[in-house]
Amino acid sequence: DAKTTQPPSMDCAEGRAANLPCNHSTISGNEYVYWYRQIHSQGPQYIIHGLKNNETNEMASLIITEDRKSSTLILPHATLRDTAVYYCIVKSGATNKLIFGTGTLLAVQP
Amino acid sequence: DGGITQSPKYLFRKEGQNVTLSCEQNLNHDAMYWYRQDPGQGLRLIYYSQIVNDFQKGDIAEGYSVSREKKESFPLTVTSAQKNPTAFYLCASSFDSLASRDADVNEQFFGPGTRLTVL
């Protein structure tokens, strides 16, 4: 499974867009990029996933570079409740195992 | 409401005792998972089960045991052989991607977690 690299922490002002980067330079052709988040002392929550096209849902947008070596999760209008650890995970399409790194702690400031 | 539940939320045990953590889901998911999380760290896979009466070791299975007698239930036993059992334990479930080979249906749903403290 490919490894991911994320900054340990980021700040964002409430109401502004939060852009969370992730590097996955060793990703292979059948591996998907998944994003989960974990609010303190709760279970992780699925946000979005993609293979090579950009994706958008009610929670966020996922922008994947053309070479697929990096991606950005965008929360368009961050709120205080978006404060959490965000995990970028590269997952093989042939297995359902998730390998979590240490993620990015996003702190949304009032 | 459909979902995945874990009990208890907080658990204390004395050193040397076995303890069983409960995980139940009513999402009709085939696959279930147990993870362990230590402070400031990501989740690490302990055991997973893709189908009833079958399970596989994850990355840190030593000192743990599981059973999968029913589709809805996947209890985890932390045995006295586990050297550092104090941690946050998370259970998850999903449709079985190994059967579908389709990543779009294998989002994992997590329970609220059980925080185990060994005294």
Side-chain angles (χ1 to χ4, degrees), chain B residues 10-58:
Chain B
Y10 298 95
L11 189 57
F12 298 88
R13 79 154 211 220
K14 292 182 180 178
E15 197 168 345
Q17 290 181 334
N18 291 357
V19 62
T20 298
L21 282 58
S22 167
C23 178
E24 304 278 332
Q25 54 96 5
N26 61 3
L27 299 167
N28 199 33
H29 284 165
D30 304 297
M32 297 186 75
Y33 314 80
W34 274 105
Y35 294 88
R36 169 188 171 130
Q37 188 174 33
D38 294 286
Q41 302 298 313
L43 282 67
R44 292 184 290 167
L45 183 64
I46 303 172
Y47 267 99
Y48 64 104
S49 168
Q50 294 166 325
I51 197 168
V52 174
N53 292 323
D54 187 46
F55 48 83
Q56 287 80 40
K57 293 182 178 179

Side-chain angles (χ1 to χ4, degrees), chain A residues 27-47:
Chain A
I27 194 170
S28 59
N30 68 343
E31 290 182 321
Y32 289 75
V33 179
Y34 273 69
W35 284 83
Y36 281 74
R37 74 178 183 184
Q38 186 177 25
I39 295 169
H40 184 61
S41 292
Q42 296 182 20
Q45 176 191 22
Y46 165 83
I47 301 173

Side-chain angles (χ1 to χ4, degrees), chain B:
Chain B
D1 286 334
I4 180 165
T5 58
Q6 293 183 242
S7 62
K9 189 170 178 63
Y10 298 95
L11 189 57
F12 298 88
R13 79 154 211 220
K14 292 182 180 178
E15 197 168 345
Q17 290 181 334
N18 291 357
V19 62
T20 298
L21 282 58
S22 167
C23 178
E24 304 278 332
Q25 54 96 5
N26 61 3
L27 299 167
N28 199 33
H29 284 165
D30 304 297
M32 297 186 75
Y33 314 80
W34 274 105
Y35 294 88
R36 169 188 171 130
Q37 188 174 33
D38 294 286
Q41 302 298 313
L43 282 67
R44 292 184 290 167
L45 183 64
I46 303 172
Y47 267 99
Y48 64 104
S49 168
Q50 294 166 325
I51 197 168
V52 174
N53 292 323
D54 187 46
F55 48 83
Q56 287 80 40
K57 293 182 178 179
D59 301 317
I60 55 165
E62 185 175 349
Y64 300 98
S65 66
V66 293
S67 63
R68 187 85 187 277
E69 297 176 3
K70 298 187 299 182
K71 187 176 186 177
E72 301 80 17
S73 179
F74 191 41
L76 173 75
T77 297
V78 184
T79 75
S80 57
Q82 169 51 233
K83 297 283 185 266
N84 297 297
T86 294
F88 188 44
Y89 290 88
L90 287 153
C91 180
S93 68
S94 72
F95 289 110
D96 178 16
S97 69
L98 293 183
S100 68
R101 291 285 191 260
D102 180 355
D104 284 341
V105 299
N106 58 19
E107 166 194 344
Q108 287 191 20
F109 291 80
F110 283 82
T114 292
R115 193 167 295 279
L116 173 65
T117 301
V118 175
L119 305 172

Side-chain angles (χ1 to χ4, degrees), chain A residues 4-89:
Chain A
T4 62
T5 304
Q6 299 177 253
S9 63
M10 294 181 63
D11 288 343
C12 177
E14 189 177 17
R16 304 297 292 270
N19 298 288
L20 291 92
C22 179
N23 287 321
H24 32 78
S25 58
T26 61
I27 194 170
S28 59
N30 68 343
E31 290 182 321
Y32 289 75
V33 179
Y34 273 69
W35 284 83
Y36 281 74
R37 74 178 183 184
Q38 186 177 25
I39 295 169
H40 184 61
S41 292
Q42 296 182 20
Q45 176 191 22
Y46 165 83
I47 301 173
I48 199 168
H49 75 276
L51 183 61
K52 52 185 176 182
N53 297 324
N54 297 338
E55 302 287 346
T56 295
N57 62 21
E58 64 278 4
M59 289 182 70
S61 295
L62 174 60
I63 308 298
I64 303 174
T65 58
E66 195 168 340
D67 63 8
R68 303 212 318 125
K69 293 186 176 181
S70 65
S71 59
T72 301
L73 179 74
I74 301 173
L75 308 178
H77 306 286
T79 71
L80 298 178
R81 285 179 292 183
D82 291 322
T83 292
V85 177
Y86 287 77
Y87 295 100
C88 170
I89 299 163

Side-chain angles (χ1 to χ4, degrees), chain A residues 84-101:
Chain A
V85 177
Y86 287 77
Y87 295 100
C88 170
I89 299 163
V90 170
K91 191 175 77 65
S92 168
T95 174
N96 207 19
K97 291 172 67 174
L98 298 176
I99 299 175
F100 287 80

